[in-house]
Amino acid sequence: MPARIAGACGLLAFVTFNVAWIAGGLAQPSGYSVANDDISDLGAMTAASPWIYNQVGANLTGILVILLGLGLWRALSPDLIGRIGAAVLVAEGISTFFDGIFHLDCRGIDAACDNASWHSHAHKIESGFTAAFSLLAPLILSFAFRRNAPWRDSWIPSLLTVPAVFAANVAFSAVGDGAATRAGTVVIFAWIALVSVRLLTKGETPARVAP
């Protein structure tokens, strides 16, 4: 995957995800609250215009993150840590894609909502993997960036991404659970956008990995 294309895909992923949860939230009835209700509710079978989240926020965004990961694999090769970090980012993209395949049955605002179907359970399990990959990718890649001279200026921002996610969650938890989840996820996609910009400017530079 050429660096310029991969970097552009990563920047576009930042846009598609954020537009999807904002537009998807606006499409819901007044009873839905972005401060208190979960992002996954936007793709539930009972949601208004679930395609906004499922096809744009999950499927399209997931594909774009996968392409970014493939570009990083090429840019950071042959470093093993770089390849592992890029592979985790690809896994994050795959898991995000499946967010839009395995739907919840209903939203939290729906009466008698229990989300007992198999695809609801699959969504909950898969969302856990997405969260784990989202935290592992910047952590692993930070060490790969530190070893790679052209990317060394990216390792501290990547390392700080994980505590920044937790800090955003805590800060916005005072507003509501939905706001906390959104804040942490926006931090992850801000890091994705940062790495994408770095890939656009440094991706074609030959890797020089420190021992």
Side-chain angles (χ1 to χ4, degrees):
M1 173 61 60
R4 291 187 181 277
I5 295 177
C9 287
L11 287 175
L12 187 56
F14 175 82
V15 175
T16 56
F17 177 78
N18 287 294
V19 167
W21 72 258
I22 294 171
L26 292 174
Q28 304 312 307
S30 58
Y32 181 86
S33 169
V34 295
N36 298 309
D37 294 309
D38 197 87
I39 297 177
S40 294
D41 287 3
L42 300 175
M45 296 179 68
T46 58
S49 303
W51 66 268
I52 298 176
Y53 176 76
N54 291 331
Q55 274 65 65
V56 179
N59 294 158
L60 177 57
T61 300
I63 292 171
L64 293 171
V65 173
I66 291 170
L67 295 176
L68 172 62
L70 294 176
L72 280 174
W73 176 284
R74 177 179 177 181
L76 298 175
S77 293
D79 181 38
L80 178 60
I81 297 178
R83 286 180 170 179
I84 292 174
V88 173
L89 187 60
V90 169
E92 178 186 345
I94 293 172
S95 190
T96 300
F97 177 87
F98 279 104
D99 274 343
I101 301 297
F102 299 123
H103 310 150
L104 293 177
D105 296 323
C106 51
R107 301 166 297 186
I109 62 173
D110 297 324
C113 177
D114 57 7
N115 286 308
S117 68
W118 69 268
H119 49 81
S120 291
H121 288 300
H123 179 87
K124 295 172 185 177
I125 294 171
E126 165 271 318
S127 294
F129 280 104
T130 303
F133 292 141
S134 297
L135 296 176
L136 282 173
L139 183 61
I140 296 173
L141 284 170
S142 68
F143 294 105
F145 295 156
R146 185 184 182 189
R147 291 156 49 88
N148 192 316
W151 285 83
R152 193 162 293 142
D153 58 355
S154 303
W155 88 271
I156 292 180
S158 297
L159 185 65
L160 293 178
T161 296
V162 175
V165 169
F166 288 106
N169 284 335
V170 171
F172 282 86
S173 63
V175 179
D177 291 343
T181 302
R182 285 166 172 79
T185 309
V186 167
V187 171
I188 290 293
F189 276 91
W191 170 77
I192 286 175
L194 173 65
V195 171
S196 300
V197 171
R198 293 290 194 265
L199 185 60
L200 285 170
T201 58
K202 304 173 186 293
E204 301 300 333
T205 305
R208 296 192 300 273
V209 180

